[in-house]
Amino acid sequence: MKFFVDTADTKDITELVTTGLLDGVTTNPSLIHKAGRNFLDVVREICGIVDGPVSAEVVALDHLTMMREADVLRKIADNVCVKVPLTVDGLKTCKALTHEGTQVNVTLCFSPNQALLAAKAGATFISPFVGRLDDNGFDGMQLISDIRLIYDNYGFETEILVASVRHPVHVLESAKIGADVMTAPPSVIKALFNHVLTDKGIAGFLADWEKTGQKIV
Ligand code: E4P
């Protein structure tokens, strides 16, 4: 499973790149607002830090303006993946951009039928928002299972990008279901490394090693 980080904070991205485990980045207008920087500048900087896809979202609601915005975004760098909302105009834009060889991430997916439409429109990625579904009393992970089943039934190549990830259990369940990608905030990715028994084990080994009086280097 590929790991994307869901942030527009370039410090966090730079730190995660050093782990060698980061495969891409997703941003959205709210994350750009949080970063407090110029959208195009941030996307350009992120594309220079990460080799993988960097999702940058259009904000227009009509197809023609979405295409004009996408044109600006995809010129920033080869690894820009244009993010469009799951609407009729968003999917028209998806189809046109895919036809032109641009990577597209269809965002704000909340149902299996929406995911089916995005795959038919040739999306590179579909982003089902599991956390927001859970927050509203639905079963976010069930949506991932349903999309996996549908995409496998028909051999769709659209990658399932699990989004709105809130905690490590979402990551675990995504991997068990066979999602292609998950995008999570830096805090959730960092939490994946942690286990109390790992910390306890290291402390115990180091205490005993100290008693040997030896050094490796
Ligand atoms: C995905 O691309 C979105 O940016 C993101 O995962 C939204 O997550 P949220 O529900 O935590 O805002």
Side-chain angles (χ1 to χ4, degrees):
M1 186 167 68
K2 286 178 246 182
F3 277 24
F4 290 0
V5 65
D6 197 31
T7 186
D9 184 324
T10 51
K11 272 194 206 137
D12 281 333
I13 296 168
T14 304
E15 189 189 336
L16 283 165
V17 160
T18 64
T19 65
L21 301 176
L22 192 64
D23 302 296
V25 176
T26 51
T27 67
N28 64 41
S30 302
L31 292 170
I32 295 298
H33 173 64
K34 192 172 165 198
R37 294 183 52 195
N38 175 275
F39 178 31
L40 304 186
D41 288 350
V42 179
V43 172
R44 190 172 297 108
E45 192 176 330
I46 297 172
C47 287
I49 300 170
V50 180
D51 291 332
V54 175
S55 290
E57 190 161 341
V58 298
V59 290
L61 296 178
D62 67 284
H63 171 57
L64 286 181
T65 318
M66 279 185 193
M67 286 302 290
R68 285 176 45 221
E69 291 180 351
D71 212 33
V72 172
L73 298 174
R74 64 183 167 177
K75 279 189 183 126
I76 293 175
D78 287 344
N79 55 335
V80 166
C81 174
V82 176
K83 210 176 186 188
V84 300
L86 211 153
T87 59
V88 172
D89 285 63
L91 293 188
K92 272 189 205 169
T93 306
C94 172
K95 185 136 195 168
L97 292 173
T98 302
H99 186 68
E100 293 173 8
T102 299
Q103 293 194 79
V104 182
N105 177 357
V106 177
T107 191
L108 292 166
C109 170
F110 294 96
S111 81
N113 278 338
Q114 287 182 318
L116 176 58
L117 293 173
K120 283 177 70 65
T124 316
F125 301 103
I126 180 68
S127 288
F129 278 37
V130 294
R132 292 192 194 187
L133 279 168
D134 291 354
D135 292 346
N136 285 277
F138 298 96
D139 184 347
M141 295 319 301
Q142 184 58 49
L143 174 59
I144 305 305
S145 298
D146 289 346
I147 300 173
R148 181 74 285 157
L149 177 69
I150 292 166
Y151 282 11
D152 289 349
N153 278 349
Y154 296 98
F156 283 123
E157 287 178 9
T158 299
E159 296 190 31
I160 303 172
L161 195 177
V162 182
S164 188
V165 164
R166 301 266 193 267
H167 47 68
V169 177
H170 277 150
V171 180
L172 173 63
E173 293 301 321
S174 300
K176 283 161 74 174
I177 293 166
D180 302 285
V181 194
M182 73 87 202
T183 188
S187 57
V188 173
I189 296 180
K190 288 177 194 165
L192 298 175
F193 288 88
N194 301 335
H195 198 290
V196 64
L197 292 178
T198 304
D199 297 341
K200 197 176 165 195
I202 289 173
F205 287 152
L206 286 186
D208 288 340
W209 176 249
E210 193 75 17
K211 289 175 207 156
T212 70
Q214 299 179 52
K215 281 192 179 354
I216 299 175
V217 288

